[in-house]
Amino acid sequence: DNRTPDVLPAIAAILESLPQAVVIITGFKPASDIIKAVRAKGGAMQFFTLSNNSSDAFIKALGNEPRNVGVTQVIPSPTARGTRFGRDYAAAVAKSNGKLANSYAAAQGYLSAMIVSDGLRRAGRDLTRDSFIKSMDNRLAVISNRNPPLNRYPNQSQFPTNPRSIGVNCLT
């Protein structure tokens, strides 16, 4: 239950079923508590969690138990300089004089702000809801570089629920 810090039922269920892998969808504190407790009881399975747990706080909270933990990422690595995003982000981090962290969490915020500001610019001076949505659709088609492009379904305001690739960073 993501609304309570009581992780004991989850720990018991994991230890009873002994799965090969566990997907944890919660904040960093309950996730790290579950992983550490299962490891303390001898559980050696792989754990996977979402990118919201890619923070330094999550990694520190794991302590000596980061082995076999994967964190999904849907953006390029903020430290990879082989992509335009990586180079742009590195320049922004350097320019911020320590105010912008070199982390996935900060990079996701940077990418979101970059996309929205570009969508506003492309929508033009006479901004309307429709012009902004159209500019965002066009922008997503460009940045996704996919065939078919990552885009909204026609006449809907939500993104597809089946992205074609998600990176997994392992902490081992």
Side-chain angles (χ1 to χ4, degrees), residues 32-53:
S32 62
D33 289 348
I34 291 168
I35 293 167
K36 289 189 304 186
V38 169
R39 294 282 190 252
K41 301 265 186 191
M45 66 283 297
Q46 292 183 303
F47 286 91
F48 294 94
T49 188
L50 304 177
S51 60
N52 64 305
N53 289 327

Side-chain angles (χ1 to χ4, degrees), residues 84-138:
R84 179 179 167 200
F85 172 75
R87 290 186 299 274
D88 289 350
Y89 184 69
V93 169
K95 189 177 179 179
S96 76
N97 294 320
K99 293 180 183 173
L100 182 60
N102 196 7
S103 68
Y104 274 101
Q108 281 183 306
Y110 178 83
L111 181 61
S112 297
M114 185 178 77
I115 291 169
V116 170
S117 63
D118 188 63
L120 289 168
R121 182 184 58 78
R122 289 173 185 253
R125 291 184 185 266
D126 298 322
L127 179 65
T128 64
R129 180 182 188 277
D130 289 338
S131 68
F132 180 66
I133 289 172
K134 183 176 179 181
S135 71
M136 291 301 291
D137 283 348
N138 291 339

